Amino acid sequence: MEEAEVSSGGAMQWERMTASELAELRGEGVALLPIGSLEKHGEHLPLGTDGLIAHKVALLAAEREPAVVLPPLFFTYTKEMKNLPGAISLEADLLLRLLEAICDEVARNGFRKIILVNCHGGNSALLKVFLQELCDKGKDYAVYLPPIFLAPEAVERVKETKETGHACEVETSFALYLYPELVRMERVPKEFYSSRKDYDLSPASTSVDWYASYPDGYVGDAKKASPEKGRVMVEAHVEKLAELIRKVKRDDKVPEKLREFHRKSLNP
């Protein structure tokens, strides 16, 4: 399968435009920041899988509903994978400051509605903290955070394995469709990789649960992945993201509520 059939040439990429071209697009008002990670994805997927997928999905969605797409952010939060080669993890406070600085600059350039397109589960909790951190800072922009899986029904429809989550059938199918030249299917393990956690402290969580469950950074059975499954999931996710872009363009409530909250927080 050739990557050429997955188009993204018409999307508005921040880094590929001239300054005047970018300025002309301020009227769109919405920018997408793809967020991923650098970490091991089994032996068959590249370290940057999450950011690569986030970027391509954002580009494809921007073809359907115009929005400016920033370069993907690969340097994020992946402490749970630091036991394996390739992980680069920022400290939480540094990543929060970096995200704020990026969003400040995006807004300064005239794009005051920013959608974070995150495809790394390890970022999820921190990104929710980031949203809360912006409440009382008086920003002139709003940030929107969709879930990683915008179309979970499509995932459930095509996947065959019960245990998924990392370098699995689902993620490998995404990669086979979007970046087939980067996938090394001959390196996929022959056996099924189930959780190896040998303790049960539920309902509590601990800081080493992920490591105890998946010490090799691989879950399930990627042999069942296919480009066709990837196509079905990508198309569903792209359509949902395009719908969200349209909603965000129409939204005036969130910016209004942010201003109201900030004003009241100064004099409760």
Side-chain angles (χ1 to χ4, degrees):
M1 173 182 175
E2 297 182 359
E3 187 182 354
E5 66 182 87
V6 184
S7 172
S8 60
M12 297 178 289
Q13 298 186 56
W14 189 292
E15 73 276 17
R16 294 194 177 197
M17 289 185 284
T18 65
S20 57
E21 288 171 339
L22 181 68
E24 290 172 1
L25 292 170
R26 288 172 179 164
E28 297 296 341
V30 176
L32 308 182
L33 175 58
I35 303 177
S37 64
L38 290 174
E39 61 182 10
K40 183 176 180 179
H41 282 76
E43 295 292 345
H44 61 290
L45 296 179
L47 296 166
T49 293
D50 296 339
L52 292 169
I53 291 174
H55 191 222
K56 188 59 72 69
V57 168
L59 291 174
L60 291 169
E63 282 191 342
R64 300 191 185 190
E65 183 60 39
V68 174
V69 180
L70 285 110
L73 180 60
F74 287 101
F75 302 112
T76 58
Y77 192 80
T78 181
K79 287 209 171 190
E80 69 277 8
M81 298 288 282
K82 287 180 71 173
N83 60 301
L84 298 168
I88 295 182
S89 182
L90 300 187
E91 292 300 314
D93 60 335
L94 176 57
L95 180 54
L96 288 172
R97 295 199 306 272
L98 175 61
L99 285 168
E100 184 176 352
I102 292 172
C103 290
D104 284 353
E105 286 296 287
V106 172
R108 186 179 63 82
N109 277 276
F111 300 90
R112 291 187 169 83
K113 294 178 177 180
I114 304 166
I115 301 175
L116 307 180
V117 184
N118 174 50
C119 281
H120 170 53
N123 291 329
S124 296
L126 202 57
L127 291 177
K128 291 180 181 178
V129 171
F130 176 62
L131 292 186
Q132 293 304 113
E133 284 286 298
L134 294 178
C135 278
D136 65 345
K137 293 193 173 184
K139 301 296 186 182
D140 62 346
Y141 60 84
V143 177
Y144 306 79
L145 176 64
I148 291 177
F149 289 109
L150 275 162
E153 68 285 351
V155 176
E156 291 300 319
R157 188 165 68 249
V158 301
K159 77 182 182 86
E160 298 178 60
T161 48
K162 292 183 179 180
E163 196 165 359
T164 59
H166 193 79
C168 57
E169 174 193 3
V170 172
E171 195 165 31
T172 302
S173 293
F174 268 87
L176 281 170
Y177 180 61
L178 295 173
Y179 297 96
E181 76 282 3
L182 300 180
V183 182
R184 306 289 183 263
M185 289 301 289
E186 71 277 5
R187 298 180 183 177
V188 173
K190 294 181 179 179
E191 65 272 25
F192 188 98
Y193 272 54
S194 186
S195 173
R196 301 180 186 180
K197 189 169 71 169
D198 55 0
Y199 58 86
D200 181 7
L201 296 171
S202 58
S205 299
T206 81
S207 58
V208 291
D209 287 348
W210 174 262
Y211 168 72
S213 297
Y214 309 109
D216 298 316
Y218 175 62
V219 181
D221 184 5
K223 295 192 303 297
K224 294 188 180 296
S226 72
E228 176 58 22
K229 291 178 180 178
R231 182 191 64 78
V232 171
M233 292 186 290
V234 167
E235 289 182 354
H237 281 74
V238 166
E239 181 54 38
K240 292 286 188 179
L241 183 54
E243 289 177 10
L244 177 61
I245 296 171
R246 286 189 283 271
K247 285 183 179 179
V248 168
K249 284 183 178 180
R250 296 192 300 266
D251 173 51
D252 57 6
K253 293 295 185 181
V254 171
E256 176 187 323
K257 294 296 182 183
L258 279 170
R259 290 189 295 269
E260 179 183 309
F261 181 91
H262 177 62
R263 185 175 66 254
K264 290 184 176 180
S265 69
L266 295 175
N267 187 24

